[in-house]
Amino acid sequence: MPDNKKTPDVQPQNIHILGTSAQSLYLGATLQRYGHRVTVLCRPQEADEYNATDIIIKETTRLQSRRCRFFCTFEQTASPDLLIIGSDSPNLRSDLLLLSPSKIKAVPIVTLQPEVPTGLISETLGLPIVKAYFDSWLQQNKNHVSLFSASSDLVFSLPPQSRQMHALADIFDSAAIATKASENDAVNYWNWLSPRALALIFGAGPEKSVARVLKKTPARRTLEQCLDEIAELAAVDNVILNNQQIINVLHKLPENCSSPLLSDSTPVRLLRLQRLSAMLFRSLAQSDHRAPLLRRQLMLLANNP
């Protein structure tokens, strides 16, 4: 159990986190480390597992590892100061049933799942939802969560000077998690998705790492062509991507940051690819034939488990 680090003049907040995704566990561990009171809401079998086992957070860029134990429960009995929704997509609907709407009426609610329409969450809870994009690179294996990037910024789809943004910044900045804000959600979405889509696709190919792909001329050329097609897809949402900036992000990834698709079973692999395809082509009709190379790469991965 790591020693808590408290930032001077910052009041500890009660943070409830729904779900046990890699983002949830990493943010929960960081907030708890800096003195905030963190409760993880999850299904009974997960609560039993995480109550009995320490979560190991590995920060590869700093070569350090630390253990963290959360208070896990499957019943929301108190009102938090902040609710973070980080459930993985397959578990979101059932996880939302763990929440008590009467406890979160006046609470900021942040979602970390860009692939899930906020309408589903907002309709279930009857409250507005703030989208957040965790600008970091994580991998999860059982109770191990590995951080591969030096930054762990949170980008919120909010007006930078809004009262809600100031409240969220106070909480996360106090835990050394830098915050940014832009009310243009489409820009936030495509800047977050583009490098991750390429890392997922090319990291699951023969090179088993997008960092290695960037060193191979033919493979890199294919990656850059796919990036051009992603830029065309973003343009449908009136977003202009900076391709070189995205390549620079990929260059910073270490070679041992492989695609999660490599360790997935075939059904999970296919489900992940379906979700990725839905995220990339969200603004296009199903019959649209744009981005043929990108579609072919996704098809190859689906047909070669």
Side-chain angles (χ1 to χ4, degrees):
M1 186 90 81
D3 294 334
N4 281 356
K5 293 185 176 182
K6 292 188 179 180
T7 306
D9 302 324
V10 173
Q11 285 292 106
Q13 302 289 302
N14 292 314
I15 314 294
H16 286 189
I17 299 179
L18 183 69
T20 55
S21 64
Q23 298 97 321
S24 300
L25 297 176
Y26 180 79
L27 287 175
T30 304
L31 289 163
Q32 183 170 273
R33 186 183 181 205
Y34 281 84
H36 294 289
R37 295 180 287 267
V38 174
T39 298
V40 175
L41 296 158
C42 54
R43 288 168 294 169
Q45 62 271 29
E46 291 176 322
D48 291 341
E49 177 184 349
Y50 288 116
N51 275 322
T53 310
D54 287 351
I55 305 301
I56 301 172
I57 307 292
K58 296 182 178 180
E59 300 193 40
T60 61
T61 55
R62 301 183 181 90
L63 298 178
Q64 67 177 350
S65 179
R66 53 192 171 86
R67 293 178 178 270
C68 182
R69 181 168 291 185
F70 298 112
F71 174 68
C72 296
T73 181
F74 50 89
E75 184 180 5
Q76 191 173 38
T77 58
S79 295
D81 298 302
L82 169 67
L83 172 63
I84 300 172
I85 296 178
S87 303
D88 288 326
S89 296
N91 302 320
L92 179 63
R93 288 182 184 274
S94 58
D95 284 352
L96 286 172
L97 297 176
L98 304 177
L99 298 176
S100 175
S102 64
K103 304 293 183 186
I104 53 175
K105 285 184 177 177
V107 173
I109 304 174
V110 170
T111 177
L112 301 171
Q113 300 301 323
E115 75 273 23
V116 177
T118 53
L120 169 65
I121 305 171
S122 184
E123 181 181 342
T124 303
L125 301 179
L127 295 166
I129 310 298
V130 177
K131 285 188 178 181
Y133 297 87
F134 191 37
D135 190 20
S136 191
W137 295 77
L138 294 167
Q139 283 185 357
Q140 183 175 357
N141 180 17
K142 293 185 178 179
N143 67 325
H144 287 69
V145 177
S146 299
L147 176 74
F148 287 96
S149 58
S151 68
S152 56
D153 296 348
L154 270 173
V155 181
F156 294 96
S157 293
L158 282 172
Q161 300 305 319
S162 65
R163 181 180 300 178
Q164 198 167 28
M165 184 59 217
H166 283 301
L168 291 169
D170 285 344
I171 292 174
F172 288 104
D173 290 350
S174 70
I177 299 170
T179 55
K180 301 175 184 177
S182 167
E183 53 192 316
N184 191 329
D185 182 66
V187 171
N188 298 339
Y189 176 88
W190 283 106
N191 281 327
W192 177 90
L193 175 62
S194 302
R196 284 159 181 80
L198 293 169
L200 194 66
I201 294 169
F202 287 90
E207 299 298 336
K208 302 188 185 305
S209 164
V210 72
R212 297 192 193 105
V213 168
L214 292 172
K215 297 176 183 178
K216 307 278 187 176
T217 301
R220 178 186 171 121
R221 189 175 297 118
T222 303
L223 183 149
E224 290 174 340
Q225 290 171 344
C226 283
L227 178 54
D228 288 338
E229 292 188 348
I230 290 175
E232 292 179 13
L233 297 176
V236 177
D237 282 340
N238 297 314
V239 175
I240 299 174
L241 289 180
N242 184 327
N243 286 17
Q244 187 55 53
Q245 188 175 24
I246 292 169
I247 292 292
N248 291 343
V249 170
L250 295 174
H251 267 299
K252 294 177 182 178
L253 290 178
E255 290 195 359
N256 62 334
C257 183
S258 60
S259 170
L261 291 171
L262 292 171
S263 58
D264 285 338
S265 64
T266 300
V268 175
R269 178 191 187 95
L270 293 175
L271 187 60
R272 281 182 181 270
L273 287 170
Q274 288 171 4
R275 287 201 199 104
L276 177 60
S277 180
M279 292 174 74
L280 287 166
F281 302 113
R282 68 173 189 167
S283 298
L284 302 180
Q286 194 170 5
S287 59
D288 196 292
H289 296 293
R290 270 173 282 194
L293 179 58
L294 193 59
R295 293 178 190 271
R296 188 159 64 248
Q297 292 294 123
L298 290 167
M299 187 73 70
L300 285 172
L301 288 177
N303 293 333
N304 294 280

